[in-house]
Amino acid sequence: MNRTEQLKQLNNEQIWDIVIIGGGANGLGTAVDSASRGFKTILLEAVDFAKGTSSRSTKLVHGGVRYLEQGNIALVIEALQERGLMEKNAGHLVKNESFIIPNYNWWGGYFYTLGLKIYDLLAGRLSLGTSKYLSKEKTLELIPFIKSNGLQSGVLYHDGQFDDSRLAINLAQTAVEKGACILNHFKVTQLLKNDKNQITGIAAVDQETLSKYIIKGKAVINATGVFTNAIMKMNDIVYKKYIVPSQGIHLVFDKSFLAGDYALMIPKTSDGRVLFAVPWHDKIVVGTTDTLVKKPDFEPIALEKEIEFVLDTAQRYLTKKPTRADVLSVFAGLRPLSAPEKKGQSTKEVSRSHKIIVSETGLITITGGKWTTYRKIAEDIVNKAIEVHQLPKKKCITRHLSIHGNKKNSTSDFENHLFVYGTDANAILKLQESEPQLKEKLHPNYDYTLAEVAWAIRYEMAATVEDVLARRVRLLFLDAKASIESSEKVACLMAKELHHDESWIQNQLTEFKAVANGFLLKEFRIP
């Protein structure tokens, strides 16, 4: 996947069947679906693939135990089916994770055991494992780092865990392999309409070269997530809010706070939210919150009250109490919730189901949804585009379509940090052998090497230091301070590979430090 080749394809094509705005989970999934059906497909992403919400998830592929409790059975069934397909189609990224719910009241064990047996049944043949009731002693044996005082029992259940932005990169590669034109750092500036007020294409700017493009298309898809309203402003004569952003944050700690292979799920925190503590890339990710914010931002910052809530809850349940000084990284993400139909409706009441809106202009917009159901959402979007724009009726083939890099990992594979590359891992090792200088580590505390940076530039369309350290190599999300310390090495190699000068290096280092400081608690930011 190379930017120069993609630009050549953009210049060759005249009218595209499907034009997609937005390179997050829904947009990339739609590109894979559309291209694999044989439609001429182009996707434009304003910054980088999964730059927004799609790189800031809780890293779970799940049916949603909470939705089961709310009685949203249809959403749970759909998500559980899709979870199973994701594990088959992207086996290098999606793995089975065992969760334990600790119960501190006598009825909790029975209540959650029953609920999770229903969860298992709903998953059917695509189940990842059987849930079971645990005695207090067994719970503490499996997850000894939780508070024992008042513990009555536990429940073990299985869900999926994955690397979100790595899946986004692999989806982009899959779409390219199926013939799509995929471009990051490409901003849509205008929706083009004919004299009947029907959309005929878009105007866009290549953010790398500032070249302007007119792109004609039969169907235009708005998959911009939390930035949906901005595209709708270009589309509608009368402005209306289609989505409301809700912020969720996660704190990242050293693995020692929850040693072992089990994840922790607290079904009811002090304010009724669910809290997860999940092992991820040899760290523990703890979250999340649900806070309405006024407007979307490419770099949302965790609010102090959110940080305090997650820390306080973690301290309440973990025997080794994490403090502010233990936070290696804090990341905030915005969920694009469909705007409430009723005034005063809370975010917990707003449906997490996806919604497809067809405007009078012919623009097709997707709101809501989550990573687990990205494939089904994409199928629905392309079906809607076929129906609305009279495109040839071609069947969806993504249910059993292998994603780039797909391989079934064994337990030992997950011990090597290159597991996220799947079938590409050997090529990275060969790169280190053929260019020995690329064996150098980015940081003494981590196994990432310059070979992964070179790979990200040459084959994964990384154009900035942030593209590499945030979404190709996940160091910014795992240890923000270490990512700042690694940034100069990355910038220098990128400048060499992409033929940039010293001033580009300095600009990149300044920009990256500004972003990375947002991933550190305020008292630990680097001046």
Side-chain angles (χ1 to χ4, degrees):
M1 186 170 72
N2 175 286
R3 203 167 196 275
T4 311
E5 286 167 17
Q6 294 305 296
L7 282 169
K8 273 186 205 158
Q9 198 180 343
L10 170 59
N11 292 326
N12 289 341
E13 294 285 353
Q14 294 304 308
I15 297 183
W16 299 86
D17 292 320
I18 292 186
V19 178
I20 302 156
I21 311 169
N26 289 342
L28 289 164
T30 302
V32 170
D33 187 296
S34 171
S36 64
R37 294 197 208 198
F39 290 119
K40 280 193 289 184
T41 305
I42 183 167
L43 177 145
L44 303 177
E45 161 55 45
V47 187
D48 184 32
F49 309 120
K51 159 70 179 172
T53 308
S54 297
S55 61
R56 298 158 187 262
S57 71
T58 314
K59 321 304 178 197
L60 300 181
V61 183
H62 63 126
V65 174
R66 184 163 47 110
Y67 310 135
L68 183 66
E69 203 180 340
Q70 291 167 355
N72 195 338
I73 303 295
L75 183 61
V76 175
I77 292 172
E78 179 180 270
L80 286 171
Q81 291 293 306
E82 292 302 317
R83 180 191 73 177
L85 294 176
M86 259 175 95
E87 199 241 353
K88 285 182 167 38
N89 297 336
H92 61 305
L93 288 175
V94 180
K95 69 186 188 86
N96 183 352
E97 179 65 69
S98 301
F99 287 78
I100 289 177
I101 302 175
N103 300 301
Y104 291 89
N105 47 53
W106 66 268
W107 53 266
Y110 304 106
F111 176 75
Y112 289 112
T113 302
L114 178 62
L116 287 159
K117 285 294 176 196
I118 297 168
Y119 197 63
D120 294 345
L121 283 169
L122 294 175
R125 285 181 301 120
L126 292 171
S127 169
L128 297 180
T130 308
S131 59
K132 58 182 177 183
Y133 175 88
L134 304 172
S135 66
K136 175 183 176 176
E137 293 71 30
K138 190 67 181 171
T139 304
L140 289 170
E141 180 192 323
L142 296 179
I143 198 159
F145 290 82
I146 58 160
K147 182 184 78 166
S148 59
N149 189 23
L151 182 71
Q152 302 283 321
S153 63
V155 181
L156 180 143
Y157 75 99
H158 299 267
D159 243 327
Q161 191 232 48
F162 80 133
D163 187 312
D164 46 15
S165 73
R166 288 301 318 170
L167 180 56
I169 305 305
N170 289 161
L171 287 173
Q173 290 169 311
T174 308
V176 166
E177 285 158 10
K178 295 296 173 189
C181 176
I182 305 287
L183 285 158
N184 57 354
H185 300 284
F186 227 94
K187 187 179 170 103
V188 171
T189 54
Q190 190 186 346
L191 301 178
L192 306 175
K193 299 174 190 172
N194 62 16
D195 53 8
K196 292 177 183 165
N197 197 35
Q198 292 299 295
I199 289 183
T200 57
I202 56 170
V205 177
D206 182 346
Q207 307 276 61
E208 294 289 298
T209 63
L210 300 182
S211 301
K212 294 180 179 176
Y213 292 83
I214 296 292
I215 298 162
K216 299 284 179 128
K218 295 172 187 172
V220 176
I221 314 289
N222 174 15
T224 53
V226 291
F227 298 99
T228 293
N229 294 336
I231 298 294
M232 288 309 217
K233 266 185 186 171
M234 298 179 193
N235 182 60
D236 294 343
I237 299 162
V238 180
Y239 176 63
K240 165 185 182 268
K241 224 183 225 186
Y242 289 86
I243 66 109
V244 289
S246 161
Q247 181 161 292
I249 76 147
H250 297 82
L251 303 183
V252 180
F253 300 104
D254 183 75
K255 186 88 190 294
S256 61
F257 287 93
L258 193 72
D261 298 323
Y262 293 89
L264 181 66
M265 194 267 229
I266 307 298
K268 279 236 176 7
T269 58
S270 57
D271 70 346
R273 286 189 281 234
V274 170
L275 192 96
F276 290 101
V278 184
W280 188 66
H281 290 312
D282 217 32
K283 296 283 185 279
I284 298 294
V285 176
V286 183
T288 182
T289 55
D290 197 351
T291 311
L292 274 183
V293 292
K294 284 194 172 122
K295 59 176 190 180
D297 195 311
F298 274 119
E299 281 304 331
I301 299 293
L303 303 172
E304 275 302 313
K305 66 175 184 183
E306 293 179 295
I307 294 164
E308 289 304 323
F309 166 76
V310 174
L311 262 178
D312 180 59
T313 309
Q315 287 168 353
R316 199 171 292 176
Y317 289 96
L318 299 176
T319 51
K320 185 180 176 184
K321 312 284 183 201
T323 67
R324 291 178 72 90
D326 298 310
V327 177
L328 296 171
S329 187
V330 50
F331 59 92
L334 301 176
R335 304 175 192 91
L337 303 183
S338 297
E341 313 257 328
K342 304 175 210 140
K343 212 171 179 186
Q345 200 175 10
S346 84
T347 56
K348 293 190 198 91
E349 297 171 275
V350 176
S351 172
R352 295 302 206 248
S353 304
H354 65 281
K355 193 155 90 181
I356 297 173
I357 301 159
V358 180
S359 301
E360 288 176 11
T361 60
L363 179 70
I364 296 171
T365 298
I366 175 72
T367 65
K370 59 179 183 169
W371 252 119
T372 308
T373 52
Y374 87 89
R375 189 212 64 82
K376 180 67 173 69
I377 292 168
E379 181 181 345
D380 292 349
I381 292 168
V382 178
N383 286 345
K384 184 58 78 175
I386 290 170
E387 177 197 324
V388 172
H389 295 283
Q390 286 85 52
L391 298 174
K393 286 186 175 153
K394 298 178 181 181
K395 278 192 171 173
C396 170
I397 62 161
T398 57
R399 272 183 75 82
H400 305 292
L401 180 71
S402 209
I403 302 305
H404 181 95
N406 184 26
K407 68 182 274 258
K408 184 74 178 164
N409 278 328
S410 66
T411 311
S412 60
D413 286 330
F414 290 118
E415 289 166 17
N416 184 329
H417 80 285
L418 293 177
F419 78 85
V420 292
Y421 293 96
T423 54
D424 285 338
N426 284 337
I428 293 169
L429 293 172
K430 280 180 187 162
L431 196 57
Q432 289 183 175
E433 295 308 315
S434 60
E435 300 174 53
Q437 71 277 16
L438 296 179
K439 282 185 180 173
E440 189 183 339
K441 280 185 171 189
L442 299 190
H443 192 279
N445 298 348
Y446 293 90
D447 290 332
Y448 304 117
T449 65
L450 285 173
E452 291 170 77
V453 179
W455 183 266
I457 300 160
R458 296 173 194 177
Y459 304 107
E460 296 180 346
M461 283 169 74
T464 69
V465 170
E466 189 204 326
D467 290 353
V468 172
L469 287 171
R471 291 171 294 277
R472 306 303 185 283
V473 166
R474 303 308 304 273
L475 193 51
L476 176 60
F477 283 77
L478 296 167
D479 188 333
K481 186 169 176 284
S483 76
I484 294 172
E485 290 164 357
S486 308
S487 59
E488 192 169 352
K489 268 187 196 176
V490 173
C492 290
L493 179 59
M494 293 191 85
K496 186 181 164 195
E497 290 272 332
L498 298 167
H499 313 294
H500 293 307
D501 58 15
E502 182 61 32
S503 70
W504 181 88
I505 292 175
Q506 293 312 316
N507 286 340
Q508 279 293 302
L509 292 177
T510 303
E511 285 174 22
F512 181 72
K513 189 192 276 186
V515 168
N517 266 325
F519 284 67
L520 287 165
L521 297 191
K522 60 186 179 186
E523 62 267 40
F524 301 108
R525 286 174 190 160
I526 296 168

